[in-house]
């Protein structure tokens, strides 16, 4: 199947700093990418849908100024957690839709574990 | 809004036991259904999917799932589990009316004892 690379896999930062997470589709072009957040022992919750060349669509309750998404190319989307605080500590997962595999198939990155001290 | 419910949060089985994980969804329109697996320390992987046709879907590693429209269910099964099946399993659904957004169930953590 298609490969989605997410970097970094783990990051620890001080409160108040910003953290950027990258999501790349390695062998396909992804016009649409998704960002999820997974709390311990809970399911994945969609944060936003990232569309190449346009603004991201955020789910209700997700602060767009807090979680900045940029999808500047067909193979790269970035999520920047701005002014991170301990409550932002979580597991962030991206996915990309492969148009060649069918409309509803998403391939997932390995996730990024963010710890804010 | 669509929602997905997985009733078993934790399942512990011995090797060679049969597995069935429940998944129910709430949306009544046309849906696409998925089971994803997340092995310890790894990313989510697609196990199998249902779009249309035969409601009994076979996936990788001996897994299968049956779509029962009248019950809004898409249960995952495997006749004989192995220790390597220890993982977390997520059921998910998309529908056109929900913008093809993928909605996940709460997940089921499966532990297979050798």
């Amino acid at each position: 199947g298609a490969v989605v690379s997410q970097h970094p896999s783990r990051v620890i930062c001080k409160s108040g700093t910003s953290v950027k997470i990258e999501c790349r589709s390695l062998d396909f072009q992804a016009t649409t990418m998704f960002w999820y957040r997974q709390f311990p022992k809970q399911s994945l919750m969609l944060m936003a849908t990232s569309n190449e060349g346009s603004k991201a669509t955020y789910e209700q309750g997700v602060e767009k100024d807090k979680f900045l998404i940029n999808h500047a190319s067909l193979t790269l989307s970035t999520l920047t957690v701005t002014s991170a605080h301990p409550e932002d500590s979580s597991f962030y997962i991206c996915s990309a839709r492969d148009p060649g595999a069918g409309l509803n198939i998403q391939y997932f990155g390995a996730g990024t574990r963010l710890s804010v001290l | 809004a669509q929602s997905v419910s997985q009733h078993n949060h934790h399942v512990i089985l011995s090797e060679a036991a049969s597995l069935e994980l429940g998944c129910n969804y709430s949306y009544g329109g046309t849906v696409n259904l998925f089971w994803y697996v997340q092995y310890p320390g790894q990313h989510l992987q697609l196990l199998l999917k249902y779009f249309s046709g035969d409601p009994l879907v076979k996936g990788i590693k001996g897994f299968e799932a049956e779509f029962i429209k009248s019950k809004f269910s898409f249960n995952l099964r495997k006749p004989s589990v192995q220790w390597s099946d220890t993982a977390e399993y997520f059921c998910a659904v998309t529908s056109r009316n929900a913008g093809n957004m993928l909605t996940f169930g709460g997940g089921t953590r499966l532990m297979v004892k050798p």
Side-chain angles (χ1 to χ4, degrees):
Chain A
V3 178
V4 173
S5 172
Q6 189 172 340
H7 179 80
S9 58
R10 182 182 291 269
V11 58
I12 301 172
C13 69
K14 292 182 178 179
S15 185
T17 60
S18 295
V19 175
K20 180 185 281 189
I21 303 170
E22 292 187 348
C23 181
R24 294 180 185 273
S25 57
L26 295 187
D27 48 4
F28 65 99
Q29 293 183 327
T31 53
T32 305
M33 291 185 172
F34 305 87
W35 288 95
Y36 295 85
R37 185 171 179 176
Q38 186 179 24
F39 290 100
K41 298 184 180 181
Q42 295 188 31
S43 187
L44 287 79
M45 299 299 295
L46 180 65
M47 298 174 64
T49 302
S50 170
N51 298 297
E52 187 268 336
S54 63
K55 291 183 179 180
T57 304
Y58 290 82
E59 295 302 303
Q60 194 172 14
V62 178
E63 299 175 59
K64 57 181 68 177
D65 295 330
K66 174 75 167 177
F67 299 100
L68 299 179
I69 291 172
N70 184 285
H71 194 158
S73 77
L74 286 171
T75 59
L76 173 64
S77 175
T78 60
L79 168 69
T80 301
V81 183
T82 62
S83 187
H85 291 285
E87 58 267 28
D88 298 323
S89 298
S90 191
F91 194 57
Y92 294 88
I93 303 173
C94 75
S95 72
R97 181 180 282 162
D98 180 0
L103 183 62
N104 286 327
I105 301 296
Q106 292 181 30
Y107 295 94
F108 288 82
T112 297
R113 188 166 300 282
L114 171 63
S115 300
V116 184
L117 305 177
Chain B
Q2 62 189 21
S3 66
V4 181
S5 177
Q6 291 179 244
H7 309 294
N8 315 103
H9 299 294
H10 288 91
V11 173
I12 301 174
L13 295 173
S14 298
E15 275 196 316
S18 64
L19 169 73
E20 180 159 3
L21 302 182
C23 173
N24 287 91
Y25 62 94
S26 66
Y27 185 65
T30 302
V31 294
N32 300 145
L33 298 155
F34 307 81
W35 275 97
Y36 284 88
V37 60
Q38 188 173 28
Y39 296 103
Q42 296 188 30
H43 61 277
L44 280 165
Q45 300 173 48
L46 182 66
L47 259 185
L48 49 78
K49 62 187 184 293
Y50 172 80
F51 282 4
S52 63
D54 189 344
L56 184 62
V57 180
K58 294 194 183 298
I60 60 172
K61 305 186 181 186
F63 286 90
E64 65 178 32
E66 185 174 12
F67 170 52
I68 303 180
K69 190 174 181 179
S70 61
K71 295 184 177 180
F72 298 92
S73 70
F74 190 56
N75 292 356
L76 180 71
R77 300 194 292 248
K78 185 170 183 177
S80 176
V81 294
Q82 301 172 308
W83 175 78
S84 57
D85 293 324
T86 294
E88 188 152 19
Y89 294 81
F90 293 94
C91 182
V93 62
T94 68
S95 66
R96 182 178 295 180
N97 284 15
N100 290 313
M101 183 182 77
L102 196 61
T103 301
F104 285 87
T108 298
R109 195 175 294 273
L110 170 67
M111 180 183 292
V112 179
K113 296 189 290 186

